[in-house]
Amino acid sequence: MRHSITAAAAAMTLCAAALAPACALAEWPERPITVVVPFPAGGGTDTFARPLAQQLGMQMGQSVVIDNKGGAGGTVGASFAAKARPDGYTFFMGGAHHALAPSLYKNLSYDIQKDFVPVALLAQPPQVIVVNATKLPVKDLKSLLEYVKKRPGEINFGTAGKGSTHHLAGELFAMQTGVKLVDVPYQGAGPMLSALIGGQVDMAFDGLGSSASHIRAGSIRPLAVAAAQRSPSFPDVPTAAEAGVPNYEVSTWYALWAPAGTPKEAIDKMTAQVTKALQSPKLKEVWASNGSAIPDMTGAAFGKFVDSEVVRWAKVVKDAGVTLE
């Protein structure tokens, strides 16, 4: 009898141990969640990350903390997030920059397609070609091209770092128009925009999300959006095709991943919370004001989108001859 009781107790102990992770996840989140943003505060990623974090925190009753870790075109933060403990309490908010990195960097310490699990596409604002409102005497894309062609190699554009979307968007623009521009890298879109406003750089190919408030303030001038259609937020700004550069379309999309190995239950719950948050009136307003519609792409579908972006930008990198260490 004693042996049977002991065996039963041991079995119950093993069962409880086996169920512990499931029980813990059933209560997820039990503590604050960290979202690693791989760019300094004030850039385009923050424009969407911070309102989303606030909304998620309200929904879940737990703080969602933004951890800005900028550097090397977003790869420093991505590397940090890839190595984070996959317990459902750390997520990574990256974007188009991370579809560029595989073809730009020879020795990345992470693989965006293997070291992360795709959660959801969050926002997809188009790039906008902007110039310093007082430094360049141009009012539209046609006059910009005329001005730059007369000054080959003299006009520069700011980027959020070598290998960022800003950088490759500029290289793509130069290839398609036959102009020669000089890129000036900064540690994120925030510092780059400060330099553009201050006149340290002439122009930029920025995400509409981070440029929107400065455009409204009149500190930078938009010449065209790199999209098939005009932005409802800035209906007076023509598309690049309308302004004379056909087929120039670039979006600075933002998305959420989890480190590989994160429990599926936690990912599923976060996906549901993100989907709910994006449908909230507040976030719809924020997204619209920053030139982005609300995406509907999660899980495997989002993963396939990332794969296609990696292939697309690899060709641009090769054709432009861009290499980074």
Side-chain angles (χ1 to χ4, degrees), residues 136-138 141-156 173 177-181 202-203:
L136 290 190
V138 298
L141 202 55
K142 181 181 178 180
S143 58
L144 172 71
L145 289 173
E146 291 173 351
Y147 187 83
V148 175
K149 286 179 179 179
K150 292 178 181 178
R151 299 163 179 80
E154 294 180 21
I155 308 303
N156 59 40
F173 180 82
T177 59
V179 299
K180 186 176 181 180
L181 298 168
D202 302 311
M203 59 183 293

Side-chain angles (χ1 to χ4, degrees), residues 108-310:
L108 280 180
S109 60
Y110 70 93
D111 186 320
I112 194 66
Q113 294 166 289
K114 296 179 180 179
D115 295 334
F116 291 95
V117 178
V119 178
L121 182 66
L122 299 176
Q124 201 169 9
Q127 294 281 110
V128 59
I129 302 170
V130 288
V131 299
N132 179 282
T134 57
K135 192 174 182 183
L136 290 190
V138 298
K139 300 291 185 180
D140 52 36
L141 202 55
K142 181 181 178 180
S143 58
L144 172 71
L145 289 173
E146 291 173 351
Y147 187 83
V148 175
K149 286 179 179 179
K150 292 178 181 178
R151 299 163 179 80
E154 294 180 21
I155 308 303
N156 59 40
F157 67 100
T159 78
K162 289 283 189 180
S164 64
T165 311
H166 308 75
H167 180 199
L168 269 295
E171 296 289 352
L172 180 61
F173 180 82
M175 285 193 297
Q176 290 190 208
T177 59
V179 299
K180 186 176 181 180
L181 298 168
V182 178
D183 66 284
V184 181
Y186 289 86
Q187 293 295 313
M192 180 273 290
L193 281 167
S194 295
L196 178 62
I197 293 167
Q200 284 79 51
V201 292
D202 302 311
M203 59 183 293
F205 302 83
D206 189 34
L208 189 54
S210 51
S211 277
S213 62
H214 303 293
I215 292 172
R216 293 191 180 98
S219 52
I220 56 178
R221 177 180 297 127
L223 302 184
V225 290
Q229 297 178 334
R230 295 191 182 199
S231 168
S233 304
F234 297 92
D236 294 334
V237 181
T239 66
E242 290 173 331
V245 184
N247 302 316
Y248 182 70
E249 297 181 17
V250 184
S251 67
T252 302
W253 52 267
Y254 303 99
L256 195 69
W257 286 265
T262 299
K264 184 177 183 299
E265 294 88 343
I267 293 174
D268 289 346
K269 289 184 177 184
M270 177 59 95
T271 302
Q273 290 291 341
V274 166
T275 300
K276 179 181 177 181
L278 291 178
Q279 293 304 317
S280 67
K282 183 174 182 180
L283 290 197
K284 283 185 176 181
E285 181 181 349
V286 172
W287 263 230
S289 68
N290 288 289
S292 178
I294 301 293
D296 182 18
M297 191 185 296
T298 61
F302 167 51
K304 290 181 180 179
F305 170 74
V306 174
D307 293 342
S308 69
E309 285 285 275
V310 169

